[in-house]
Amino acid sequence: MTASEPTIAGQVRAAQAPSGADVSVTAALGTGDGDAIPGGHAGQSIYRSLGRTGMQVSRICVGCFNFSNPTPEDEADRMVRAALDAGINFFDTSGNYHQGESERMLGRLVARHAPRHQVVIATKAHFPIGPGPNDSGNSRLHLIRACEDSLKRLGTDYIDLFQIHRASFDIPADESLGALTDLVRQGKVRYIGASTHPAWKLMEALAVSEARGFARYISEQPPYNLLDRRIENELVPMAQAHGVGLIPFGPLAQGVLAGRYATHQTFPSDSRAARLASIFAERVNPRGIEVGRQLALLAAEHGLSAAQLALLWVISQPGITASIFGPRTAAQLIGVAPVQSMQLTSELRAACDRLVPPGSAVTDFHNASFWMKQVLQP
């Protein structure tokens, strides 16, 4: 790096919201030690307890779905450094992302840039990792093997948060929870969580853990953004009542809330809707695009980018511990990192509620949940 080249930390500071931005800035709830996060800056990041545990995580969690495809390792390296510079200590991946390459890349980059104990690594198991009948699902056989394979790919001795990627409706909860409990007792996993579970399945799991003395889900990772607010009806109040941290994905609605799509008929060539099609293309519709346009105007009025406001809205909602933001480039992460130290004003919150009322949806982000039956109007 030359003397004239700006550091990533400098770029993060430069991305702070413009003066006069209509948000209230809060004091950081960090560890009290400015050096606790490698490259961190005191007061720049806000940390929250995940669920009812003592584990502190940043309000932004870096989603690593793009690691290796389309994001190459040199750009992912810049992304991880930018995250650490911004005080972000939370990273989420999965064993099935790009045949395990996302985990491998994340493991290499964490080892390169941070002491292992200062980073919270979350990964997931459920989806197929091979062609065999036992290469997917929530059976004891698959979950134990998936965890051990993830440990090897990540190059670590333990996983901070091991999550069940989808609910199973044919395997008893006690089989899955028994296996996860053994992994915790063996020291391979610190905490366990769920992803995209209906509220009743999450409640069932908590009841089984209570009755059998099993490890307890500390978190749930649902889809949630301004375009799909349906988790507010049951999941959010249930999680609040029972101490489950919510760490939703898709805060920018796959870029719809960041102005990524001008039409629902043609997509930018490097967008997820174009590259991956299927469920990703289905999430881009005229109603969502129109809300995105209105949100961009609202953000500009208050000195924010559309992406910043979309993410700020999610992390400021009741019951939300952190939001998983999956950038393709380091610049995208640097652009939204400042929202960690902001809170939504009542004026902005009410304006967003007028765009999409609480508990409702204009776009289906549960289209990969396999259990949501509600059909939305196009």
Side-chain angles (χ1 to χ4, degrees), residues 81-144:
R81 288 191 291 124
L84 297 173
D85 283 338
I88 296 170
N89 70 341
F90 196 10
F91 297 83
D92 177 79
T93 182
S94 180
N96 71 302
Y97 289 169
H98 314 304
Q99 294 75 51
E101 282 305 310
S102 173
E103 285 186 328
R104 293 186 186 95
M105 189 175 291
L106 176 62
R108 289 193 296 270
L109 296 176
V110 167
R112 187 179 304 164
H113 295 299
R116 174 64 184 89
H117 69 279
Q118 291 182 346
V119 175
V120 175
I121 294 178
T123 192
K124 302 181 285 291
H126 171 84
F127 286 113
I129 55 174
N134 292 308
D135 290 338
S136 63
N138 300 345
S139 69
R140 177 181 181 84
L141 181 62
H142 175 66
L143 292 178
I144 290 177

Side-chain angles (χ1 to χ4, degrees), residues 39-218:
H41 302 282
Q44 189 166 332
S45 182
I46 290 177
Y47 301 91
R48 291 173 172 173
S49 295
L50 185 54
R52 62 183 193 181
T53 76
M55 183 167 66
Q56 300 290 296
V57 296
S58 49
R59 295 176 78 193
I60 295 176
C61 172
V62 177
C64 302
F65 179 78
N66 287 327
F67 280 26
S68 82
N69 184 13
T71 304
E73 186 155 350
D74 59 344
E75 185 65 17
D77 184 284
R78 287 187 284 272
M79 197 183 298
V80 169
R81 288 191 291 124
L84 297 173
D85 283 338
I88 296 170
N89 70 341
F90 196 10
F91 297 83
D92 177 79
T93 182
S94 180
N96 71 302
Y97 289 169
H98 314 304
Q99 294 75 51
E101 282 305 310
S102 173
E103 285 186 328
R104 293 186 186 95
M105 189 175 291
L106 176 62
R108 289 193 296 270
L109 296 176
V110 167
R112 187 179 304 164
H113 295 299
R116 174 64 184 89
H117 69 279
Q118 291 182 346
V119 175
V120 175
I121 294 178
T123 192
K124 302 181 285 291
H126 171 84
F127 286 113
I129 55 174
N134 292 308
D135 290 338
S136 63
N138 300 345
S139 69
R140 177 181 181 84
L141 181 62
H142 175 66
L143 292 178
I144 290 177
R145 191 178 73 176
C147 177
E148 292 172 346
D149 288 346
S150 286
L151 288 169
K152 293 174 186 176
R153 287 189 292 263
L154 288 163
T156 184
D157 295 330
Y158 63 94
I159 294 165
D160 297 290
L161 178 62
F162 191 55
Q163 304 158 102
I164 303 300
H165 213 156
R166 290 293 186 275
S168 174
F169 296 91
D170 56 357
I171 296 174
D174 57 353
E175 176 173 346
S176 303
L177 290 166
L180 294 172
T181 299
D182 286 346
L183 291 170
V184 171
R185 290 172 179 168
Q186 291 166 9
K188 296 174 181 176
V189 169
R190 296 294 189 254
Y191 299 102
I192 62 172
S195 175
T196 320
H197 282 46
W200 74 267
K201 285 294 286 184
L202 187 59
M203 190 68 245
E204 177 190 49
L206 296 180
V208 170
S209 292
E210 180 78 16
R212 300 288 300 274
F214 288 154
R216 184 183 192 272
Y217 287 149
I218 69 164

